[in-house]
Amino acid sequence: MDKEIEIDVDTDSPILNGALEGSVASRSISELSKSAENLSTDQRLKRKAKRVVRQLSKDGAPNGNQVSQTGRHWKNTRRSRNGRGRGLPKKGGAGGKGVWGKLGSELVEEDVDMNDPNYDSDSLDHGDVELKTIIPEASDDELKKSTEAIVLEYFEHGDTFEAKLSFEELNFKDKFHMIPQLAIEIALDHKPSHREMTSVLISDLYGQVIKQKDIAMGFSILLNNLPDLILDTPDASTVLGNFLARAVADDCLPPKIIEIFKAKAETEQARHAVERANTLLSMKHGLVRLDNVWGLGGGLRPVKYLSRQMNLLLQEYLSSSDIHEATRCLLELEVPHFYHELVYESIVMALEALNSHVEELMCKLLKSLSDAIIITPDMMERGFLRVYDDMPDIILDVPLAGTVLDRFVDQCHNAGFLPESVVKKMPTRGRKRFVSEGDGGRIKELSAI
């Protein structure tokens, strides 16, 4: 668009032609430059007002000369307006108010501002609050019941570490002396092997769960309660003296504790228990011998010792005919895996006695032990088979052993505790047939029939 510029020249003016021409030329150039600037500015404004954008809808193809009529809904949109994006939110969804934030921003720990009005000082998310488990204090009856259950369970598995964990779960507070006290009271009614386990338990708990003053207080209470404990366990004073001496030998108590208990003993039973402990500690090599104060366990005893004890047990039974006493003595040996030795010894004793009364007593004893499932069918069968294997040697000492064995096996089978399979395995006695007199004692050859 060209703009024409008219120049009015006064010819009557007394100016020389050269000067007039120069002024006219300068005025024309300045007016043209100003007109060009105004023109470019107007065109720029019009071009900016008539901005052409790419149509984002799928209804029609975009027209380059078409002016976009943006609606109200495009005002607050978060999509990119340059038309070059994929229609995704700006800044990955992290820009503006009321947005969920960038993907993965929920995993980043936020800085806690303590000056924030919404700051909660009691919140557990700040890490400045520590939670501790509080175990309520139990009564004496509850502690006694729980301790008894733990000790009895310990007698079954024998794991002191497991018992230690169980005791730590209880809130004894200032009543830890109840652990050795109740453990020894329970052990008074049990076998020597359980008493040995109790001594080991006290030794292992010392320094971890219970202290020296707790053990001393437990023994002091037991010494004062001896008159009541003797009613259930007649030898309670002797057993308690063994426990006291063993505790000193295991370094759970100092040796001077004996003199302290001796000065505080009020009853005759308490003085006897303290004297018993003092005697055991005063023996030569007493501290070493106290390791076996409860005797060896069943599985640790020598085989010859166990065989001799079973032989003495059977001899006492033959003289008294007391099956209950024989059963009690057998159970005290604590060797259920070795009960086949009792079966073997009882059969051999019946064979050597050559007495029907002894056979009858042995049959009654074996039947009683079998009915009580003290001697299992496997142990019973193993004992009879051992006798079958040793019959050639037994017959050398007792020639009539074969006949007695037949009678005894039939008697046991009729009693109902010896199965038919064991009876069939009994060895048959070979019968020697000689030729007529005068043949020099030659054995007659058997001819095939």
Side-chain angles (χ1 to χ4, degrees):
M1 299 174 63
D2 297 335
K3 183 179 181 182
E4 296 181 356
I5 302 175
E6 296 182 356
I7 302 174
D8 186 13
V9 181
D10 188 7
T11 55
D12 293 341
S13 142
I15 300 176
L16 295 177
N17 294 335
L20 177 62
E21 293 176 357
S23 61
V24 171
S26 61
R27 286 171 54 190
S28 301
I29 293 173
S30 62
E31 291 179 1
L32 289 173
S33 63
K34 292 180 178 179
S35 300
E37 291 178 9
N38 294 335
L39 180 61
S40 63
T41 301
D42 296 340
Q43 290 180 351
R44 249 192 335 266
L45 291 174
K46 292 179 181 180
R47 191 178 295 113
K48 186 174 182 181
K50 296 180 181 181
R51 181 173 33 150
V52 180
V53 296
R54 184 177 301 174
Q55 188 173 358
L56 299 178
S57 64
K58 300 180 180 181
D59 297 335
N63 189 356
N65 297 328
Q66 183 180 358
V67 178
S68 63
Q69 301 295 331
T70 58
R72 184 70 180 174
H73 66 280
W74 283 102
K75 180 179 179 181
N76 297 324
T77 182
R78 294 185 176 86
R79 294 186 179 181
S80 178
R81 296 182 180 180
N82 57 11
R84 299 176 183 176
R86 295 176 296 171
L88 300 177
K90 294 185 296 184
K91 298 182 181 179
K97 296 182 179 179
V99 296
W100 287 100
K102 193 175 182 180
L103 183 63
S105 61
E106 70 277 1
L107 302 178
V108 181
E109 295 183 0
E110 298 181 358
D111 296 334
V112 179
D113 186 8
M114 299 182 65
N115 297 324
D116 189 354
N118 296 325
Y119 175 76
D120 186 8
S121 59
D122 296 334
S123 178
L124 302 179
D125 300 332
H126 306 324
D128 55 351
V129 179
E130 183 180 358
L131 298 179
K132 293 184 179 180
T133 303
I134 300 177
I135 303 176
E137 184 179 358
S139 61
D140 292 348
D141 294 337
E142 294 176 351
L143 291 177
K144 183 177 180 180
K145 184 177 180 180
S146 301
T147 303
E148 183 177 0
I150 294 173
V151 172
L152 293 177
E153 184 179 0
Y154 165 70
F155 287 163
E156 296 294 332
H157 56 71
D159 189 354
T160 57
F161 181 75
E162 183 68 23
K164 169 181 168 294
L165 295 179
S166 300
F167 282 125
E168 289 178 347
E169 294 178 357
L170 301 177
N171 186 11
F172 282 93
K173 201 174 180 179
D174 54 350
K175 302 176 183 177
F176 284 99
H177 64 276
M178 297 181 65
I179 296 178
Q181 173 194 347
L182 295 176
I184 294 176
E185 285 184 1
I186 296 172
L188 291 177
D189 300 331
H190 285 73
K191 302 179 291 186
S193 61
H194 290 162
R195 297 170 184 173
E196 172 67 21
M197 294 175 66
T198 304
S199 297
V200 173
L201 177 64
I202 295 175
S203 177
D204 289 350
L205 294 180
Y206 171 65
Q208 300 184 18
V209 179
I210 55 179
K211 299 179 181 179
Q212 189 177 93
K213 63 178 183 179
D214 299 325
I215 301 176
M217 185 178 297
F219 274 104
S220 178
I221 296 175
L222 289 171
L223 289 173
N224 295 330
N225 295 339
L226 265 179
D228 297 332
L229 297 176
I230 288 179
L231 299 178
D232 298 328
T233 309
D235 58 342
S237 58
T238 302
V239 176
L240 185 58
N242 294 348
F243 271 114
L244 181 58
R246 177 63 180 271
V248 175
D250 290 340
D251 295 331
C252 298
L253 291 174
K256 65 179 181 181
I257 198 70
I258 302 297
E259 300 298 330
I260 297 176
F261 285 153
K262 186 181 297 185
K264 293 183 178 181
E266 298 178 356
T267 61
E268 183 65 25
Q269 295 85 355
R271 285 190 289 270
H272 179 268
V274 176
E275 287 295 336
R276 170 69 176 176
N278 190 24
T279 303
L280 293 175
L281 294 171
S282 302
M283 291 189 308
K284 186 178 180 180
H285 306 295
L287 296 179
V288 178
R289 293 182 179 181
L290 284 173
D291 291 339
N292 298 327
V293 67
W294 305 114
L296 294 174
L300 300 178
R301 298 174 183 176
V303 176
K304 292 184 178 180
Y305 172 81
L306 295 174
S307 300
R308 184 168 62 253
Q309 291 296 321
M310 290 183 178
N311 197 303
L312 294 175
L313 180 156
L314 292 174
Q315 291 179 6
E316 182 180 357
Y317 166 69
L318 291 178
S319 61
S320 63
S321 301
D322 190 351
I323 295 180
H324 297 288
E325 180 65 18
T327 303
R328 185 190 65 82
C329 295
L330 179 63
L331 294 176
E332 284 184 355
L333 294 177
E334 302 179 41
V335 283
H337 59 281
F338 199 62
Y339 284 166
H340 60 85
E341 178 69 18
L342 179 73
V343 179
Y344 176 83
E345 291 290 341
S346 61
I347 298 174
V348 172
M349 193 172 294
L351 297 179
E352 294 177 349
L354 299 177
N355 190 332
S356 60
H357 179 66
V358 174
E359 298 174 13
E360 183 179 355
L361 289 177
M362 291 301 179
C363 182
K364 288 182 179 180
L365 176 63
L366 294 179
K367 177 176 175 53
S368 174
L369 296 175
S370 177
D371 293 342
I373 318 179
I374 297 176
I375 297 181
T376 61
D378 180 61
M379 292 289 107
M380 188 73 69
E381 180 179 356
R382 187 177 302 181
F384 273 90
L385 293 181
R386 286 182 56 192
V387 175
Y388 294 167
D389 295 338
D390 293 345
M391 278 302 295
D393 297 332
I394 297 176
I395 290 177
L396 295 178
D397 298 329
V398 184
L400 297 178
T403 304
V404 179
L405 180 64
D406 291 342
R407 185 169 60 245
F408 185 74
V409 169
D410 292 339
Q411 188 175 357
C412 294
H413 179 64
N414 295 331
F417 65 89
L418 191 65
E420 183 69 25
S421 59
V422 180
V423 177
K424 292 181 179 180
K425 294 179 181 179
M426 185 178 60
T428 57
R429 293 181 293 113
R431 182 184 174 203
K432 296 183 179 180
R433 303 178 62 187
F434 294 92
V435 296
S436 60
E437 187 177 351
D439 292 336
R442 291 185 296 110
I443 299 175
K444 182 177 182 180
E445 296 180 359
L446 295 177
S447 58
I449 300 177

